[in-house]
Amino acid sequence: MAAKNNHALVFGASGNVGWGVVDQLLSNYPAPGIFSQVTALVNRPLTLEDSCWPLDQTTGPGLQLVSGVNLVEGTVESVSELLRSKVKNIDNVTHVFYFVYKSEPDPKEEARVTRRMLEVALSALNRVSPRLEFVVFPSGTKEYGIHIPGGLVKAPYVESMGPLPEGSQDTINYPGMRAALTKASEGRQWTWCDIRPDAVVGFVPNGSAFNLTAQWANYLSLYALVESKGAEVPFPGTLKAYDSLYNEASADIIARCSIWAALHPEKAGGGQAFNIADQAKAESMRERWPRLAAYFGLQGIAPSEDLNVLKPSEYIAKHGTVLERVGVKNSPVFKSEFLDSYGYYLDFDRHLSLEKVKTAGFAEELDPNQSWFRAFDRYRKAEMIPG
């Protein structure tokens, strides 16, 4: 692939997937010279030293980190000015990776806020980035109704499955985001796509609202300290959920697919949606949980029949001072109690078909066990969990 003066702008760069996009770009994916500059935009303060990205500027693209990008409170005018004043070469941005999320208690309000944030960002980009070629945004399996008890449609999920029933679409973020992208791209040279994973496995440097990887890294490392190595740790959920089929997506594979799509507008543009996962093969937590537990020296077993067993967030709250005593920073999970429900309400098959994205040209797969281990390794390297 020939070298090109591409400039990637990553919104939400300290989040689960945004961090992975920056990491892959700085690691010269898909090849050296494709991107000459990467600009990482974050809201909460973050330093390069704390970012845990590869910072060898001699072999990869140049990196700029910009904090204080608040799309919730921003206007088109203020965000345009912020981008002009803080982002070097904003007029040369070619590819945008939009991985911003704002949780709200009311789903309808969250959908409204999410759409407005994206509208502000896109309107600002249309003003300040005339070279823009492609925008990637992520949706997810709520598109297939996984948030509806028992699920809505039969897996494997394919992108052509129809929209959610009337009354359900205004409670998820994605329809409004697609409408915003369609409107903002009208008459423009840039196009866009929707990358669609299920559960995301990844690392974040300064905490996040919904990060199952961090939740289980905190829980299992703490469990090994309190109960000792070799202890049995039951899967936090039901037997039905333990045996349901799924295929998770690492931030690494989502990032690679996003970059591939952005560089191939002729194959991936036009507002298309693409399912993505580490592998096409569906597996269950009966296969995965023992492997994850073994990483921490534990024996992962089937769910306990004891209804009073502590859920991960409860266990962490009870024993959290143990982590402090061994001197780790911990990885904050702001919606930890919600993540406890993962092994309870997701008790149905929900695996994704990858046929469309593979046919289009992205055929990479990763070993999902290794993706979990790689994320755990990153938390250990950042001293967020014990070594």
Side-chain angles (χ1 to χ4, degrees), residues 49-52 203 205-206 218 320 323-332 378-386:
E49 291 72 24
D50 290 335
S51 71
C52 300
F203 167 84
N206 60 348
N218 292 335
L323 286 177
E324 295 174 11
R325 289 201 298 269
V326 297
V328 298
K329 294 183 289 187
N330 200 349
S331 178
R378 287 165 174 161
Y379 284 114
R380 277 186 169 167
K381 185 176 180 181
E383 299 181 347
M384 292 180 179
I385 60 174

Side-chain angles (χ1 to χ4, degrees), residues 218-300:
N218 292 335
Y219 173 57
L220 291 171
S221 59
L222 180 58
Y223 201 96
L225 288 172
V226 174
E227 313 297 338
S228 77
K229 296 289 181 72
E232 293 184 341
V233 55
F235 174 71
T238 66
L239 189 59
K240 191 175 179 183
Y242 195 55
D243 288 322
S244 64
L245 297 176
Y246 75 105
N247 46 357
E248 69 266 75
S250 64
D252 294 337
I253 202 73
I254 301 170
R256 291 183 177 193
C257 183
S258 298
I259 296 166
W260 166 83
L263 293 173
H264 295 88
E266 76 287 354
K267 297 179 180 180
Q272 293 186 76
F274 294 97
N275 290 339
I276 187 61
D278 271 8
Q279 63 178 20
K281 180 185 176 184
E283 294 184 317
S284 70
M285 274 293 159
R286 184 178 291 275
E287 296 162 287
R288 186 78 67 246
W289 183 249
R291 298 291 302 275
L292 303 187
Y295 178 95
F296 297 92
L298 299 167
Q299 297 182 57

Side-chain angles (χ1 to χ4, degrees), residues 30 55 76 89 96 101-102 111 125 151 218 250 268 304 310 340 385:
L55 298 177
V76 175
N89 303 315
V96 168
Y101 177 72
K102 174 66 169 67
L125 289 166
N218 292 335
S250 64
S304 172
L310 294 178
D340 287 339
I385 60 174

Side-chain angles (χ1 to χ4, degrees), residues 4-11 21 25 34-39 90 92-98 125 129 131-136 190-191 258-265:
K4 189 178 179 183
N5 188 32
N6 286 319
H7 180 179
L9 188 68
V10 184
F11 285 85
V21 171
L25 289 168
I34 300 301
F35 286 89
S36 60
Q37 185 174 349
V38 176
T39 299
I90 186 63
N92 281 328
V93 166
T94 52
H95 300 83
V96 168
F97 302 89
Y98 186 88
L125 289 166
S129 299
R131 288 189 61 211
L132 183 59
E133 298 175 12
F134 206 97
V135 176
V136 177
W190 60 270
T191 186
S258 298
I259 296 166
W260 166 83
L263 293 173
H264 295 88

